[in-house]
Amino acid sequence: MNRTITEKDIKGATLQRGMGVHKIVNHKMLPEGTVKRLLDDAWLSLNVEEESIYNPLEVIPMAFDEDPHIFLTWVLSNPYYLSAFCKEILNIEIFPTQALMIQEMWTHKFPILLGTRGLSKTFSLALYALIRAILMQGRKIICVGASFRQSKIFFEYIEQIWRTAPLLRDMVGQGKRDDQIIKHDSSLWSFIIGDSRIHACPLGDGSTIRGMRSNDTLSDEFNSINQYVFENVVAGFGIVSSGPVDNMKREATKKMRETLGMEEEIDKMTEQQSNQIVLSGTAGYQFQHFYKYFSKYRDIIRTKGDRDKLRQLVGDEIDNPNFDWRDYCVIRIPYDCLPYGYFDAAQLSRNKVNTLPSNFLAEYGACFPADSDGFF
């Protein structure tokens, strides 16, 4: 029976990579504009019912009829729509996996970003730091790497984004020279945007940076960072709460509400503004410290809040009201979870053939091998 194919008929037409399943549809029978949309959106590797997707801009609440820009600002600052912020304000189009990485880092206090080589982890950290500094004014963000060189790579990405974002420069850079925003000192590189600061600093033995304070501490290539220096110096950057006086007032009010038998107020924005530590890097061996952190975070998440299981992992800390298993997050992305075409297939194949299996698993599979295939 002949009939015109509608959009509903082509919902299953998207190629499912890795399964070899696809449906052939005659493009001449598709509604006008559908072919262009399918071609433009093919790189997203998504096959969803568009009717089920919520678009916050379709219906602007009546309260914002006279000030729609305020509602638009809320949308762009929402963790679920940060990809729109990147595109419109930072002039960068990020892919869905990257958007999800940033969203998960934004909504957790202790995230781990573990990914294949070439995932652009350092760039994603730089992008994340810049978004956080812009949207959460007064933020102090510090990135450390095993060497000052690694921290500088992170900082250079921020400079690159800044120089290619005309709308951002027009919003916050008017009347200012670049050297008033970007500062390169011998031991500290700084980016100043409004009341926020982003710093890239050398790690060394920790003696030159001890005493620094931050709201967000980003550790790049964590497996190469000295664990002793990290725990005794870097982890202490965020020990003082974000806005200590305001936080003391808030905690005192919370306890008084409990004393008076009043219902607890939940402030999601306050939760997002609390200090955080982000660990990022490529996997190493299981005898190295990155695996210990990864394993502990993963096990905490797998308990799903079961107190008996948590007690085995964290001991008496489970009785601390400030401990919450939901603060922990592990983002693990091996090479085969990225869209087809992200990597040069021939180069990836060459590396797989010529690299020891354990090395390939660590570098590209985001796995922590226990052995080195007899190399040692």
Side-chain angles (χ1 to χ4, degrees), residues 298-329:
R298 179 195 59 190
D299 292 344
I300 288 175
I301 294 168
R302 284 178 172 176
T303 66
K304 296 183 179 180
D306 186 295
R307 292 186 64 83
D308 292 334
K309 294 179 180 178
L310 280 172
R311 190 174 295 280
Q312 295 178 7
L313 290 172
V314 301
D316 293 338
E317 189 63 20
I318 183 63
D319 299 320
N320 186 336
N322 295 312
F323 174 83
D324 190 342
W325 68 276
R326 291 167 295 187
D327 290 338
Y328 294 82
C329 168

Side-chain angles (χ1 to χ4, degrees), residues 132 136-141 196-197 215-216 242 273-274:
R132 210 157 170 89
M136 302 172 70
Q137 280 295 291
R139 208 72 178 168
K140 190 173 182 180
I141 302 168
S196 295
R197 303 289 186 272
N215 303 121
D216 302 294
S242 175
Q273 291 180 348
S274 57

Side-chain angles (χ1 to χ4, degrees), residues 184-344:
H184 292 172
D185 295 329
S186 58
S187 60
L188 188 70
W189 284 17
S190 303
F191 185 88
I192 304 170
I193 185 163
D195 295 329
S196 295
R197 303 289 186 272
I198 302 175
H199 299 299
C201 58
L203 187 61
D205 62 0
S207 59
T208 60
I209 59 175
R210 180 180 289 273
M212 294 183 69
R213 291 291 176 259
S214 68
N215 303 121
D216 302 294
T217 305
L218 314 180
S219 301
D220 196 16
E221 293 300 340
F222 182 67
N223 203 51
S224 301
I225 292 177
N226 184 293
Q227 183 183 8
Y228 175 84
V229 175
F230 176 81
E231 285 299 339
N232 288 277
V233 178
V234 179
F237 288 175
I239 200 67
V240 178
S241 61
S242 175
V245 175
D246 291 337
N247 196 56
M248 286 188 292
K249 291 180 180 179
R250 185 165 50 250
E251 289 299 320
T253 301
K254 178 180 177 181
K255 290 182 179 179
M256 182 56 68
R257 292 181 68 88
E258 293 175 355
T259 302
L260 298 175
M262 301 172 67
E263 293 184 3
E264 181 181 354
E265 290 183 340
I266 300 176
D267 187 350
K268 288 297 183 182
M269 183 57 70
T270 298
E271 289 299 314
Q272 292 177 8
Q273 291 180 348
S274 57
N275 294 350
Q276 70 169 184
I277 297 178
V278 180
L279 310 182
S280 173
T282 308
Y285 289 104
Q286 290 185 13
F287 58 79
Q288 295 176 304
H289 63 277
F290 195 6
Y291 176 73
K292 295 181 177 67
Y293 286 83
F294 165 79
S295 181
K296 177 62 72 67
Y297 282 29
R298 179 195 59 190
D299 292 344
I300 288 175
I301 294 168
R302 284 178 172 176
T303 66
K304 296 183 179 180
D306 186 295
R307 292 186 64 83
D308 292 334
K309 294 179 180 178
L310 280 172
R311 190 174 295 280
Q312 295 178 7
L313 290 172
V314 301
D316 293 338
E317 189 63 20
I318 183 63
D319 299 320
N320 186 336
N322 295 312
F323 174 83
D324 190 342
W325 68 276
R326 291 167 295 187
D327 290 338
Y328 294 82
C329 168
V330 174
I331 308 165
R332 176 181 168 268
I333 305 177
Y335 76 96
D336 54 355
C337 285
L338 291 171
Y340 185 77
Y342 183 88
F343 288 106
D344 185 307

Side-chain angles (χ1 to χ4, degrees), residues 5-6 9-10 12-13 23-30 38:
I5 296 179
T6 64
D9 295 318
I10 62 171
K23 184 194 297 182
I24 301 298
V25 178
N26 188 341
H27 67 276
K28 295 180 181 179
M29 300 177 67
L30 297 178
L38 287 175

Side-chain angles (χ1 to χ4, degrees), residues 93-110:
E93 190 166 19
I94 60 178
F95 58 98
T97 305
Q98 206 169 18
L100 184 59
M101 287 160 43
I102 293 174
Q103 176 190 318
E104 291 301 305
M105 287 192 290
W106 191 280
T107 53
H108 292 85
K109 294 181 182 179
F110 308 113

Side-chain angles (χ1 to χ4, degrees), residues 137-152:
Q137 280 295 291
R139 208 72 178 168
K140 190 173 182 180
I141 302 168
I142 293 180
C143 178
V144 296
S147 65
F148 198 13
R149 173 183 171 276
Q150 185 64 37
S151 299
K152 286 179 179 179

